[in-house]
Amino acid sequence: LSQAASAAAATTDAAVEGTLSELVTQKIRKCTSHLQIHLPGAHAEKAPSFVAAMQHVTDVPLMSPLARHSALEAYCQEHMGISPKDLKPTALVRIRDLAQLFRSMQILGVVRLREADAGRVNSIFGFESIFVDEIGDFNAAFTKMVHEDRNRCWLVNGRQTLAQPTSPCYEVLRQLGVHPVKGTRGGASEGVPSGSRDFMFYSQFTFTLQR
């Protein structure tokens, strides 16, 4: 009897997990119907949460100067006053990691990326403004990326972890002219810890060449 009960429970758990995975996959497919993006089927690794769902978003077009070397070279020379070869390899990989992350979050409905109006300049990531609709998920995505460090560019100098994983992400963005908008920091209702100095808990970021 106990074996039968265990088998029934396992079947129920599998069914629930499969349903959650299918719902996430459907949501991503709905948001990405116009893009050439590979999404594994519901039988692949399950994704019952936003952070897990991000692993299903792959090969996202960067849609920025990072998409082509010639465009990156022109952007760096015109707006940053440097050549791409002057960017340290680690810095360039970090920039590409962030660009991929932004597009993934846009697809999942966590952020809205707005391009600059005519006559204005976008950031190197291809947008002028970020509007964060899910602050908690936004912060969690950066934390996950740094902890996993798939491209070995965030946990440097022998470090295995960081006390504040989002800190290097914020520093890269700040150096590239992307900064949080004053007055848009999230609160306790968005899951922001009391007393936190984490700068990736804002609902709006903007780009300017003057910073």
Side-chain angles (χ1 to χ4, degrees), residues 105-120:
M105 290 193 289
Q106 181 183 42
I107 288 168
L108 291 173
V110 175
V111 302
R112 287 168 288 129
L113 306 177
R114 188 180 71 185
E115 296 184 9
D117 294 333
R120 298 172 66 87

Side-chain angles (χ1 to χ4, degrees), residues 144-163:
K144 179 177 184 292
M145 178 186 69
V146 173
H147 277 162
E148 291 185 345
D149 197 17
R150 295 181 178 180
N151 292 314
R152 301 179 183 276
C153 62
W154 299 104
L155 301 176
V156 296
N157 299 324
R159 294 180 178 178
Q160 298 299 314
T161 186
L162 296 175

